[in-house]
Amino acid sequence: MSDAPAAAPPRSNAVVAVLAFAGIVVSLMQTLVIPIVPELPRLLDAPASDTAWAVTATLLAAAVATPVVGRLGDMFGKRRMLLISVVMLIAGSVVCALSDSLIPMIIGRVLQGLASGVIPLGISIMRDELPAERLAGSTALMSASLGIGGALGLPAAALIADNFSWHVLFWTSAALGVVALALVSFLVPESRVRSGGRFDLVGGIGMATGLVCLLLGISKGADWGWTSGTTIGLFVAAVVVLLAWGWFELRTDQPLVDLRTTARRQVLVTNLASIAVGFAMFAMSLVLPQLLQLPSQTGYGLGKSMLVAGLVMAPSGLVMMVTAPISAAVSKARGPKTTLMIGALIVAAGYGLNIVLMTDVWHFVLTACVIGAGIGFTYGSMPALIMGAVPASETAAANSLNTLMRSIGTSSASAIAGVILAQMTTDFGGYALPSENGFKAVLAVGAGAALLAFAVASFIPRQKPAGETPAPAPRDASEAAEVAAKS
């Protein structure tokens, strides 16, 4: 054993604050372009069907990047990959800010999507660097930053778009990225926990191909037609490619995703619940702004501006931030499984409340806050469940896969809600608008998704409270030796 003095422990508060800030900055990309989506065809001189790729491209890039960056972080350093991810965000923001046509905008949005691994990487750095008593609350806050940034980003983006050139949106995100890069560079230490090995390039290509086919089919199915040859072909290709990918991953020595670890009951069931939670979370983001902005003459719309709609949603992000430490306390006392189930019930209650309260602005503030509280509980519990079942050397990859599962849920919510609202319409001055019952149906589906998450989470193995959860058993002799050396 070396006689050299141990390195000074990192300043925990600074590390948590910086990583959470970086997570919020990256999650702002979800809502950054929403205020200008209707104007993009005019701004970029392109058809609306093409400008929609400014949103779709980010989704696809994030789906591919999140698990790949997580695995690279485990292998070569989580802080290093986090810095690279933030640089991608800055580069993408600058490209978008300088663009006046479609292709550069799509390229910039792809680069922004490649930064999506920041949140799972941040959770993994916290596991490696923070003392045990700080871990639960800190990872809960980091996980919730995905929702916090999305909620706070909408009013900020609407305010900028209403008062400045649309390019300022992207210059602002670039500036925030530079701040995050500087803070991470100076205040976040590099983790010494690494798995090493070689990167599974074939696995990366296979997974990327399968995910792109799946998410492209989900996100564009309504435009292309759910029974069109293109949509069905994408879904068939996704199934074939992902099955072949899984067969390959089980037979390679150093897989991109360790499917045997992923198949552990605790990890598998948590990931399945995450899909339902992601679906439930995004239903709120789809319904509430539309109801707030539809003309009051419809009888159910409130006729508010995008800025007001964003301000109504913003408190939900603050509630997520406040509930993160509460969720950690519940996990410590009762276990993260209980926290996840409580959060799912709160989300379902919020949607139920919205079905009967949707006539005044305060109704939407209330329901957004209730749903936000539930999301804070659920998102806060997931990292604890994942980290309680995987070795430290696979933390980033496992958390990245969990983040991807949430993204699949949100993408599915967008597609299903779009189908419901397109089918349940009412005539308004010669235009077909989603009907009040259509919105209530989407809210009911959101509540159902939350209840499904509750039911799925009930199958997670019973655990000791978070503070007492034992580390997973070592998988091989080298890991056993490492555990023994630390004892």
Side-chain angles (χ1 to χ4, degrees), residues 199-258:
F199 181 71
D200 176 17
L201 181 60
V202 174
I205 294 172
M207 187 191 64
T209 303
L211 287 175
V212 166
C213 290
L214 175 64
L215 293 174
L216 194 55
I218 291 173
S219 60
K220 303 296 285 186
D223 295 332
W224 294 339
W226 292 105
T227 58
S228 70
T230 302
T231 304
I232 294 175
L234 284 170
F235 286 136
V236 171
V239 171
V240 171
V241 170
L242 290 175
L243 285 175
W245 170 77
W247 179 87
F248 176 83
E249 292 293 279
L250 288 171
R251 284 158 179 77
T252 189
D253 293 333
Q254 299 181 28
L256 176 69
V257 177
D258 189 337

Side-chain angles (χ1 to χ4, degrees), residues 197-440:
R198 59 176 178 79
F199 181 71
D200 176 17
L201 181 60
V202 174
I205 294 172
M207 187 191 64
T209 303
L211 287 175
V212 166
C213 290
L214 175 64
L215 293 174
L216 194 55
I218 291 173
S219 60
K220 303 296 285 186
D223 295 332
W224 294 339
W226 292 105
T227 58
S228 70
T230 302
T231 304
I232 294 175
L234 284 170
F235 286 136
V236 171
V239 171
V240 171
V241 170
L242 290 175
L243 285 175
W245 170 77
W247 179 87
F248 176 83
E249 292 293 279
L250 288 171
R251 284 158 179 77
T252 189
D253 293 333
Q254 299 181 28
L256 176 69
V257 177
D258 189 337
L259 293 179
R260 291 180 177 84
T261 298
T262 305
R264 290 176 182 169
R265 184 176 168 188
Q266 182 166 319
V267 178
L268 177 62
V269 178
T270 300
N271 283 334
L272 292 175
S274 298
I275 297 175
V277 169
F279 188 108
M281 171 192 168
F282 205 62
M284 172 183 72
S285 302
L286 290 167
V287 171
L288 269 62
Q290 289 192 63
L291 282 170
L292 286 161
Q293 293 178 84
L294 281 174
S296 57
Q297 292 86 344
T298 60
Y300 52 91
L302 272 66
K304 304 300 181 182
S305 66
M306 172 66 80
L307 177 58
V308 172
L311 291 172
V312 168
M313 299 289 290
S316 68
L318 300 177
V319 169
M320 290 180 205
M321 193 179 300
V322 171
T323 54
I326 300 174
S327 115
V330 174
S331 293
K332 185 175 182 180
R334 307 293 298 175
K337 170 184 175 177
T338 300
T339 308
L340 176 55
M341 295 175 72
I342 291 172
L345 289 179
I346 294 173
V347 171
Y351 281 117
L353 199 61
N354 202 180
I355 291 173
V356 297
L357 294 177
M358 51 190 302
T359 57
D360 291 301
V361 169
W362 72 267
H363 291 168
F364 292 93
V365 175
L366 174 64
T367 54
C369 287
V370 173
I371 294 170
I375 295 298
F377 268 73
T378 57
Y379 275 24
S381 64
M382 290 173 192
L385 287 165
I386 295 296
M387 291 188 297
V390 302
S393 60
E394 295 181 15
T395 304
N399 279 314
S400 295
L401 185 62
N402 181 253
T403 302
L404 174 62
M405 293 301 105
R406 299 187 222 173
S407 297
I408 291 174
T410 59
S411 301
S412 302
S414 178
I416 293 174
V419 170
I420 293 172
L421 296 179
Q423 294 297 317
M424 303 179 69
T425 61
T426 185
D427 181 75
F428 182 75
Y431 293 92
L433 294 179
S435 67
E436 181 178 11
N437 286 335
F439 286 114
K440 287 184 176 180

